[in-house]
Amino acid sequence: MFTNRNQPEGNAATPQQNGVNSSSPTPTRALRQPPPIPSKPRNPVPEDPFASLDSFIAESFSSSSTTDSNPASSNYFYLRSYPPAANSDSTLSSSALQASYIRAADSAKAATGQIVDDKKEAVHIIANYAIEPLEMLHLVDRWIQQLLGEFHQQRDTFKHRLSDKWQNEELSNIQYDNNDRIRKIYAAFKQLQTARDSILSREAFDDLSSFLRNAEDLSTEEMKEKFNSLANEYSKILRCLDFIDREVQTGPTQRDNYLSGIERDLSKLKKLNSKMSSTICIIGLEKAGKSTFINALLGYELLPAASERCTQVRTVLKPPTQDKEQHLYAKVQFYDDQEFQTFHEQMPKKTDESEEQLKVRKLQVAEERESLREKFPEERFYIKNPADFDRERTAIHQELHKYITGELYVNIIKEIAIYTDRLPGKNYELLDVPGFDSPIKEHRDAGLEAIKNADAFLFLTNGQQPSLTQPQIQLLNEIRQNHFEAMERAFGIITKLDLCQTSDTFKEHHQNSYHELIEKGFKPEHIFCTCSRLQLLDPNCLDDGFQRSKDALNRFIEFELPKTHLKQLIDLGRMHLTHPVVERLEKIKEKQLLPVNLADMSIDDYIKQQKTESWDAVYDKSIFNPAFAQANSWHTKVVTKERAKFANTIKQKFHDSFIDRTQSFLQITPLIEDIMCEQFEYSKLQLNIHPTDNAERGKLSMELEKIVHDTSIYLADYFYREYICGFEVIINGVCPFLKDLFRTQLTLEKCLNETHALILRVARPMIMAALRYSHLDLPVKRNAIQDLIYIAPTAAATIVRHKKESKSSFAAEIEKQVKELNSQHDLSTPVIHKLFE
């Protein structure tokens, strides 16, 4: 090789020597200016054999330097000063001198293009053929099989750890029906035993009777509290009795009527005891003086009281509740359209009334209701000026008189409520209903309804009559039938004895009325003789009977009524509950509803023993076997029934993820020519693209292998989430309480490593065969292709089968190597030959 002797040591080569086109811009380097050429030639020097080459190089540098007029941008070389070269013809032309570089540049461009094509080829075959779905399926199958084995191996561990939850009944989806039933029967049995020996014992009833005898010193609230406590215990007993009856009966039966009656009476008493205010019903025959008695209690005439029939509609007097300043307030409530229509259609005909007269009366009622339409649903009356109370009260009295006494209003007005502060007590109301002997059916129905809801009764009887009439006796019978211990709450009021002309007549009528009331069940201390008319005319008159009736009524409401309720409750338990309790306890033993060994242990110990004995069967049947079977079925579905779906999904996911990661990889093009020019080498006179091409392919192969690695991580993560975690989801779905117990030993890291190894097994030979070696190293490249055929023959065969679609030159090269391999005779040759037929 020739060297430039005129070039100083360490200076860069010329552009031609660097293989860079002189027309392209090159970085400049600060060089010293050459020394000026002497005007006169030096002494002749001996002939230099390199003179002609130096002259050529000098001319080349001179000609190249003239291409750029700017000295700062030109390449200058410091040359030793020599005498001018002798003019001689060069053995090489300029084009011949440039041919070496041109060939190198063309080779570099061809190598760059080949790398670009090989990159695309490698990306394509890896994205489409590097992953074998069946291998992935076998990998996932092995993992799931490992999980199933781990789960089965831990069967007894799970059983032991769940046994405490089973004993504590914390396994939410497990039924505890048998034990729950035994607990309930045992609880009912113990409840009835305790009731029999405590609140239903003779000693307990003796204590309650003593409590009632000493109740004079107790307040109403104390008696009500005692009532509520005892009533709650009776309710528990009734529930236990009802439960035992249902357990004893094998088929659907109606509830015991006897128990239903006890429960009904208990409910009535509880309702009466809890009322905030009591209802006092004033009942009697027509013209018995009910309205006059009420007016006497008020101290003035408010309700109509005359010789004709007075009360036609339900009238109730209540203490004021809203406006305490309002001393008198009345409200007339009308029936709504539906109620009126029902009563109007069912209006009965009077005894002496013809059909025509009934039609006329119905028409009158309808017309009267229509005239009141603007006042619906209610009409109100109140004292507007308290200073003029008497006059305004009289006006209200006149307005109410027509509603209370008018027969037309029976089917129009539902109730008349009068709120007044003149009532004797603040916690009860007086109810005045039409006479029980009224010929009007609506009157009799209203009387019966009042009796059903009243807390006490004022039974008014006319002392001028010699004895109780049949309607009065019928009324008393109705009271006793509709109320528990009715006569305990009945007051007999003998009226109109002030009309007697002589003292003997007064005594005779009084004694007759008194004894008749006693015979009908009235308590002697609840019978009073009053002169309501005299009391109304003169409030200061000495009517001892009227005052005593007021005091007795107040005492009864404030004290006797709660005491009566309590006494009735005690009697209910003594007479009606004791026997059923004893009877049901015997039935429990007779029917063997409870195990015999419960006598030797507690219910908790018995149930624990039963649970321990049944735990094996429950665990296998309800916990482990369903979970294992469900997981096994899911395993079969994944690797067998849906293997085509698995294959398509895995191929698509790997393809899409890999292609996304190779976008920047494909966009960058390595320029072999530029890289060669930048490299520091021993000589650049003859540029060699082979080392640079080989080095760049090595770098690209490593980069592509890194992309394969990242894609395999993504795929392994998908496998882990979808199948490993999916297995645990199946287990947790069947048995939620196992989620804190089962933890697989198969880690994500292991899945990553195995997936990466399996994918790289095929992908790396593809990278070596398609990208790593240049066509300039054709023997090496062919060896890499042969390795690919041996390592992944199915993938290579698939590439060849799809060569028409992809137009792959790589596929053609594989076919050539297959032919060459077929000429060899080894164990793999028949298989390879068969694959590529």
Side-chain angles (χ1 to χ4, degrees):
M1 180 182 292
F2 294 100
T3 58
N4 186 353
R5 291 180 299 150
N6 293 329
Q7 181 176 341
E9 184 178 354
N11 284 355
T14 63
Q16 291 85 347
Q17 288 172 319
N18 280 322
V20 180
N21 193 331
S22 62
S23 61
S24 61
T26 58
T28 60
R29 184 178 299 177
L31 301 175
R32 289 180 300 173
Q33 295 290 336
I37 300 175
S39 56
K40 293 182 180 180
R42 292 182 178 183
N43 294 328
V45 296
E47 184 177 350
D48 190 346
F50 297 100
S52 61
L53 181 59
D54 289 342
S55 176
F56 172 75
I57 295 174
E59 289 177 1
S60 299
F61 289 156
S62 175
S63 62
S64 63
S65 64
T66 58
T67 60
D68 192 346
S69 61
N70 186 2
S73 61
S74 304
N75 289 327
Y76 289 90
F77 294 85
Y78 177 74
L79 301 177
R80 289 178 298 170
S81 180
Y82 288 100
N87 293 329
S88 62
D89 294 334
S90 174
T91 59
L92 296 175
S93 64
S94 297
S95 60
L97 291 173
Q98 289 292 106
S100 174
Y101 167 72
I102 293 173
R103 285 193 300 271
D106 291 340
S107 298
K109 291 177 182 178
T112 298
Q114 189 63 52
I115 288 178
V116 171
D117 292 341
D118 289 349
K119 282 171 61 178
K120 293 179 181 179
E121 184 76 29
V123 167
H124 171 74
I125 64 173
I126 291 173
N128 290 281
Y129 312 115
I131 184 171
E132 175 52 55
L134 190 58
E135 289 183 331
M136 297 292 107
L137 183 61
H138 278 274
L139 179 64
V140 170
D141 175 52
R142 181 166 56 81
W143 289 344
I144 299 177
Q145 197 68 43
Q146 177 181 337
L147 296 180
L148 287 169
E150 290 178 5
F151 184 68
H152 197 274
Q153 288 174 0
Q154 299 180 56
R155 175 186 178 279
D156 293 336
T157 303
F158 300 151
K159 177 182 175 182
H160 175 71
R161 295 178 64 182
L162 288 175
S163 60
D164 290 340
K165 291 181 178 291
W166 163 253
Q167 290 290 350
N168 298 330
E169 299 186 6
E170 297 175 1
L171 304 181
S172 57
N173 64 337
I174 304 299
Q175 298 296 326
Y176 296 90
D177 292 341
N178 293 334
N179 292 334
D180 187 54
R181 176 178 175 270
I182 293 175
R183 281 187 183 277
K184 289 180 179 179
I185 294 175
Y186 184 81
F189 176 76
K190 284 296 184 181
Q191 180 78 32
L192 294 180
Q193 268 191 337
T194 303
R196 181 196 62 188
D197 299 335
S198 58
I199 60 175
L200 296 181
S201 66
R202 179 177 296 180
E203 294 79 6
F205 286 123
D206 290 342
D207 291 341
L208 290 172
S209 298
S210 176
F211 179 85
L212 286 176
R213 286 194 299 272
N214 300 324
E216 300 292 337
D217 300 330
L218 299 176
S219 65
T220 302
E221 292 302 321
E222 288 177 300
M223 284 190 289
K224 286 194 173 186
E225 183 178 351
K226 187 70 172 179
F227 179 97
N228 291 332
S229 176
L230 192 59
N232 289 336
E233 293 297 327
Y234 286 176
S235 296
K236 293 178 182 178
I237 294 172
L238 284 172
R239 287 196 294 270
C240 291
L241 294 174
D242 185 59
F243 173 73
I244 295 301
D245 286 349
R246 291 198 305 269
E247 289 295 324
V248 170
Q249 299 293 340
T250 56
T253 58
Q254 292 185 349
R255 191 179 180 189
D256 192 329
N257 291 331
Y258 185 75
L259 293 182
S260 298
I262 297 174
E263 187 173 20
R264 188 165 51 250
D265 291 340
L266 178 61
S267 178
K268 287 181 180 179
L269 287 174
K270 289 170 70 174
K271 184 177 180 181
L272 290 173
N273 188 69
S274 63
K275 290 178 66 174
M276 299 302 296
S277 63
S278 302
T279 301
I280 309 301
C281 186
I282 301 178
I283 58 177
L285 304 181
E286 288 189 331
K287 308 312 297 174
K290 300 189 298 297
S291 297
T292 303
F293 182 81
I294 293 176
N295 288 336
L297 288 175
L298 298 177
Y300 51 72
E301 286 195 17
L302 183 62
L303 300 183
S307 57
E308 73 275 6
R309 181 181 294 125
C310 299
T311 305
Q312 298 287 338
V313 298
R314 171 189 169 97
T315 305
V316 59
L317 283 79
K318 302 180 180 181
T321 55
Q322 297 179 347
D323 188 357
K324 295 183 179 180
E325 298 297 326
Q326 190 60 252
H327 300 291
L328 181 62
Y329 171 74
K331 182 171 63 175
V332 178
Q333 184 180 2
F334 302 97
Y335 285 116
D336 59 28
D337 293 342
Q338 183 176 357
E339 291 172 326
F340 171 75
Q341 186 68 26
T342 301
F343 289 133
H344 189 259
E345 292 176 355
Q346 297 176 358
M347 279 179 60
K349 186 175 64 171
K350 296 180 181 179
T351 306
D352 56 348
E353 190 177 36
S354 64
E355 289 292 339
E356 188 63 32
Q357 289 173 330
L358 176 61
K359 290 182 180 180
V360 172
R361 186 159 62 90
K362 282 188 174 183
L363 181 60
Q364 290 174 348
V365 171
E367 291 175 349
E368 182 63 24
R369 185 177 188 274
E370 202 58 38
S371 66
L372 297 172
R373 174 69 72 170
E374 62 182 12
K375 299 179 180 180
F376 285 12
E378 60 186 28
E379 184 178 4
R380 303 172 184 268
F381 303 93
Y382 55 92
I383 300 295
K384 299 178 182 178
N385 184 10
D388 199 8
F389 180 84
D390 291 337
R391 187 185 64 82
E392 293 196 15
R393 177 187 59 76
T394 303
I396 292 176
H397 168 73
Q398 293 174 354
E399 288 290 335
L400 294 178
H401 186 277
K402 67 175 183 178
Y403 288 145
I404 295 175
T405 62
E407 187 177 330
L408 288 176
Y409 299 102
V410 172
N411 294 300
I412 298 175
I413 297 175
K414 188 173 187 178
E415 180 184 89
I416 296 177
I418 301 173
Y419 299 85
T420 174
D421 60 350
R422 301 298 293 272
L423 289 175
K426 300 300 182 184
N427 60 342
Y428 67 88
E429 56 190 34
L430 294 176
L431 179 62
D432 182 21
V433 296
F436 192 77
D437 58 336
S438 172
I440 302 175
K441 181 179 182 297
E442 291 86 340
H443 289 175
R444 297 192 297 274
D445 294 341
L448 286 175
E449 187 64 26
I451 289 170
K452 292 179 181 179
N453 299 313
D455 298 296
F457 313 98
L458 293 180
F459 180 79
L460 273 64
T461 178
N462 187 350
Q464 295 298 317
Q465 296 178 351
S467 61
L468 295 177
T469 63
Q470 185 61 33
Q472 288 177 306
I473 296 173
Q474 184 179 352
L475 175 59
L476 293 175
N477 291 335
E478 290 282 353
I479 293 174
R480 283 192 290 266
Q481 292 175 5
N482 286 277
H483 279 273
F484 186 77
E485 297 290 344
M487 300 314 295
E488 293 288 333
R489 295 175 282 148
F491 289 79
I493 307 297
I494 304 172
T495 63
K496 298 191 177 183
L497 288 180
D498 53 331
L499 299 179
C500 295
Q501 299 299 320
T502 64
S503 175
D504 292 338
T505 306
F506 175 86
K507 291 180 181 180
E508 180 185 358
H509 288 187
H510 178 268
Q511 288 296 324
N512 291 338
S513 299
Y514 181 83
H515 288 298
E516 283 200 277
L517 292 176
I518 293 293
E519 290 176 2
K520 295 303 180 184
F522 285 88
K523 298 170 67 174
E525 62 270 23
H526 284 180
I527 301 175
F528 303 96
C529 177
T530 65
C531 298
S532 303
R533 176 59 61 182
L534 294 177
Q535 182 68 26
L536 187 59
L537 295 175
D538 183 7
N540 296 320
C541 72
L542 299 177
D543 185 357
D544 183 61
F546 183 80
Q547 186 60 43
R548 284 191 304 111
S549 67
K550 288 178 60 178
D551 294 341
L553 187 60
N554 286 334
R555 176 177 173 75
F556 178 79
I557 296 299
E558 295 290 337
F559 181 77
E560 291 294 337
L561 192 57
K563 182 179 178 181
T564 300
H565 294 157
L566 181 56
K567 181 180 182 302
Q568 293 166 352
L569 181 65
I570 294 171
D571 292 341
L572 179 68
R574 178 190 289 114
M575 295 183 293
H576 301 286
L577 275 179
T578 304
H579 178 70
V581 168
V582 175
E583 186 183 50
R584 269 51 172 198
L585 288 174
E586 291 298 326
K587 278 189 176 181
I588 292 174
K589 294 180 180 179
E590 178 186 344
K591 300 293 184 180
Q592 297 182 352
L593 298 181
L594 289 176
V596 178
N597 56 353
L598 269 178
D600 303 326
M601 64 177 67
S602 67
I603 184 65
D604 291 333
D605 291 339
Y606 171 79
I607 291 176
K608 185 176 182 180
Q609 178 182 332
Q610 294 296 311
K611 287 181 178 178
T612 302
E613 294 175 357
S614 62
W615 173 230
D616 289 347
V618 170
Y619 176 75
D620 288 341
K621 180 180 179 181
S622 302
I623 297 178
F624 185 82
N625 289 345
F628 190 78
Q630 189 77 15
N632 225 342
S633 298
W634 174 75
H635 177 209
T636 304
K637 177 182 177 183
V638 169
V639 303
T640 303
K641 296 181 180 179
E642 296 183 351
R643 63 167 57 196
K645 177 183 176 182
F646 177 92
N648 293 333
T649 301
I650 297 306
K651 289 192 68 173
Q652 192 65 45
K653 284 186 174 295
F654 181 84
H655 177 276
D656 295 345
S657 178
F658 181 75
I659 291 298
D660 289 341
R661 285 175 167 80
T662 56
Q663 295 301 313
S664 60
F665 173 79
L666 292 173
Q667 291 173 0
I668 299 175
T669 302
L671 299 178
I672 301 299
E673 182 181 357
D674 294 345
I675 297 172
M676 288 191 304
C677 293
E678 293 172 359
Q679 288 177 344
F680 175 79
E681 292 183 353
Y682 175 73
S683 173
K684 294 187 178 180
L685 283 175
Q686 285 80 31
L687 293 178
N688 185 0
I689 65 166
H690 184 73
T692 305
D693 182 24
N694 193 52
E696 289 303 311
R697 286 179 177 273
K699 294 177 184 178
L700 292 174
S701 297
M702 294 297 294
E703 185 177 349
L704 190 58
E705 187 172 323
K706 178 64 170 57
I707 295 175
V708 172
H709 173 76
D710 294 342
T711 308
S712 68
I713 291 177
Y714 161 77
L715 195 60
D717 183 70
Y718 169 77
F719 285 152
Y720 195 85
R721 287 184 290 102
E722 186 72 15
Y723 299 105
I724 308 305
C725 298
F727 181 89
E728 293 185 347
V729 168
I730 294 295
I731 298 297
N732 296 338
V734 180
C735 299
F737 31 81
L738 286 175
K739 65 180 179 181
D740 297 328
L741 300 180
F742 177 69
R743 286 291 182 269
T744 177
Q745 298 177 1
L746 183 61
T747 63
L748 175 61
E749 181 181 3
K750 184 176 181 181
C751 293
L752 291 175
N753 292 336
E754 292 188 1
T755 304
H756 176 256
L758 200 59
I759 293 176
L760 200 61
R761 183 189 70 81
V762 177
R764 195 169 190 275
M766 286 183 172
I767 295 173
M768 299 289 287
L771 178 62
R772 177 63 184 90
Y773 299 111
S774 170
H775 291 270
L776 299 177
D777 294 331
L778 192 57
V780 181
K781 190 174 186 68
R782 287 173 177 173
N783 289 335
I785 293 175
Q786 290 181 8
D787 289 345
L788 173 63
I789 295 171
Y790 278 118
I791 294 173
T794 56
T798 305
I799 295 172
V800 172
R801 282 197 297 271
H802 296 166
K803 66 179 180 179
K804 293 182 179 179
E805 300 174 5
S806 60
K807 298 179 181 180
S808 171
S809 59
F810 182 67
E813 192 63 35
I814 291 176
E815 284 187 300
K816 293 179 183 178
Q817 296 306 306
V818 167
K819 292 179 181 179
E820 182 177 338
L821 289 174
N822 287 336
S823 63
Q824 302 175 7
H825 298 286
D826 55 24
L827 295 177
S828 303
T829 301
V831 177
I832 295 174
H833 178 72
K834 193 67 177 176
L835 279 174
F836 288 87
E837 283 183 349

